[in-house]
Amino acid sequence: MADQTPFSCIQELSAGYLASRCLHAVAELGIADALDDEVTEVGALATATGVNPDALARMLRLLDTHGVFRLENQKVSHTPASLLLRSDSPTSMRDFVRMFGLPLFWRSAELLSTSLRTGEAAADTSFEGGFWGHLSANPEEARVFDAAMSAKALGQIGAIIGSYDFSQFHHIVDVGGGQGHLIRAILRACPNTTGTLFDLPHVVDAARKLGDEGGRLRFQGGDFFTDSLPAGDGYILMEVIHDWAEDPAGKIIAAVKKSAPEGAKLLLIETEVPETREPDWSKTLDILMLTLFAARQRTAAGYQQLVAQTGFGIQTAIDTHAGISIFEAA
Ligand SMILES: C[S@@+](CC[C@H](N)C(=O)[O-])C[C@H]1O[C@@H](n2cnc3c(N)ncnc32)[C@H](O)[C@@H]1O
């Protein structure tokens, strides 16, 4: 930050996690849900949510400095950012915040020096079966993770659909599509297209309950490392490749190549790391990928190189202007 001294830079960065933890705590305890449109006494909000009034006021005071809630004279009101913590917001990020507060994320971040020493995933040392194994065995954490994926994608889906002609495809396979938020939005925008959601069995079982888009969406549970993928003329891998190091990432793309009929296209939808020094969310995401998976967020050149080893070649890169790019490969 331009107006920071070296001392305050290190001071703020050293303890920046405390603001994150306040955000996790208020999201977990549903503080934003209990606050309506009215300016409310902190004490009344604390009573309504069963928390300590003094601790709540102090956490809200810190969050206020980041624009999350407004606290003045012990009275609290919403800001545009705190409204995103409400469960009933159409663009709610409550589960996204809760995901970062899960032990799976938090404990892995605590062990970041392990990743620094070894380059390995800290999550692998603390959670049996690693990240995906832990989620398979813990349904409530898996629910929060899947909901968080839908929440983060909601802010990007409109721009993705507006930036690319998905109606050229007859059948799209969304590989690792989570709850199906992207494929559902595409099918709604392209009435002549059908789709298949492919993901791990427990994820697909939950997604099926959200409906099949009038029979146009099929579901297939499986493992992209061992099972063959459904056939389609379009394949999507959105924020899947960043979860994997070079070798497994290449295997996933090769699995698409193996199942894809002649002429099919692959769309890698990923946040690219800019080659510049500016602050960028992708640089935070990259450290998350390191600590959780020993994986990485890649530059545009990194995606090109990875895809080139699989028989596909990236032909076009489209910036959606929503912090995510579409790399079209054929
Ligand atoms: C980071 S999430 C991305 C979800 C969604 N594409 C999005 O962008 O919101 C990665 C997805 O890959 C799925 N996944 C992980 N390992 C898998 C495997 N071996 N086979 C199939 N899907 C897998 C996860 O269940 C998860 O839904």
Side-chain angles (χ1 to χ4, degrees):
M1 306 298 154
D3 53 356
Q4 275 190 331
T5 63
F7 175 81
S8 66
C9 162
I10 296 300
Q11 191 182 41
E12 290 290 332
L13 207 46
S14 304
Y17 68 91
L18 289 169
S20 299
R21 288 308 267 168
C22 288
L23 193 68
H24 300 160
V26 300
E28 193 58 44
L29 294 174
I31 304 295
D33 284 334
L35 179 65
D36 58 21
D37 294 342
E38 304 295 321
V39 178
T40 303
E41 292 284 346
V42 177
L45 184 59
T47 305
T49 50
V51 303
N52 180 279
D54 178 56
L56 178 62
R58 290 155 66 192
M59 289 196 189
L60 292 178
R61 179 172 63 186
L62 178 59
L63 289 173
D64 179 336
T65 65
H66 293 272
V68 185
F69 298 101
R70 184 184 169 109
L71 182 74
E72 239 176 344
N73 302 322
Q74 293 299 303
K75 291 190 171 71
V76 57
S77 55
H78 270 301
T79 61
S82 67
L83 282 171
L84 292 180
L85 300 180
R86 285 191 62 95
S87 309
D88 61 0
S89 160
T91 51
S92 176
M93 294 184 77
R94 184 177 175 210
D95 282 322
F96 181 82
V97 176
R98 292 177 76 204
M99 173 186 79
F100 277 96
L102 289 176
L104 184 56
F105 281 68
W106 188 247
R107 180 103 184 97
S108 300
E110 194 185 324
L111 297 175
L112 205 51
S113 55
T114 303
S115 296
L116 177 58
R117 269 195 297 274
T118 64
E120 297 299 326
D124 285 347
T125 63
S126 302
F127 296 93
E128 206 183 323
F131 185 90
W132 302 113
H134 179 81
L135 284 188
S136 304
N138 290 276
E140 175 51 20
E141 292 186 36
R143 190 204 62 72
V144 171
F145 174 77
D146 290 338
M149 289 303 100
S150 300
K152 63 92 193 157
L154 264 183
Q156 300 173 322
I157 282 175
I160 291 170
I161 291 180
S163 309
Y164 188 84
D165 177 19
F166 290 93
S167 69
Q168 67 184 285
F169 299 119
H170 297 293
H171 192 83
I172 301 176
V173 184
D174 189 356
V175 181
Q179 294 304 286
H181 32 272
L182 179 59
I183 187 71
R184 288 175 202 283
I186 291 171
L187 298 189
R188 285 171 201 165
C190 308
N192 297 321
T193 301
T194 56
T196 299
L197 175 68
F198 182 93
D199 207 299
L200 292 169
H202 73 273
V203 179
V204 167
D205 287 346
R208 209 180 256 119
K209 295 182 185 133
L210 301 175
D212 68 356
E213 304 301 315
R216 290 196 293 133
L217 180 59
R218 294 179 218 149
F219 299 89
Q220 189 170 322
D223 180 337
F224 43 48
F225 292 115
T226 51
D227 298 318
S228 57
L229 300 175
D233 55 344
Y235 288 82
I236 292 172
L237 281 168
M238 175 170 171
E239 295 208 310
V240 170
I241 288 307
H242 75 167
D243 295 338
W244 302 95
E246 294 310 279
D247 182 54
K251 287 192 170 118
I252 298 168
I253 299 173
V256 172
K257 187 74 187 158
K258 196 166 158 217
S259 298
E262 186 69 28
K265 288 181 183 169
L266 166 66
L267 305 175
L268 270 194
I269 307 183
E270 289 279 357
T271 298
E272 59 184 276
V273 181
E275 306 272 5
T276 57
R277 291 179 48 242
E278 272 84 55
D280 195 274
W281 169 244
S282 62
K283 296 176 187 178
T284 300
L285 211 46
D286 182 49
I287 301 304
L288 188 66
M289 295 307 126
L290 168 64
T291 184
L292 296 180
F293 307 112
R296 64 179 60 246
Q297 208 62 36
R298 295 168 174 84
T299 59
Y303 291 115
Q304 294 269 8
Q305 264 172 24
L306 178 70
V307 170
Q309 300 158 16
T310 64
F312 276 118
I314 291 180
Q315 297 177 326
T316 323
I318 300 158
D319 182 356
T320 66
H321 300 289
I324 196 148
S325 301
I326 303 173
F327 298 96
E328 184 193 62

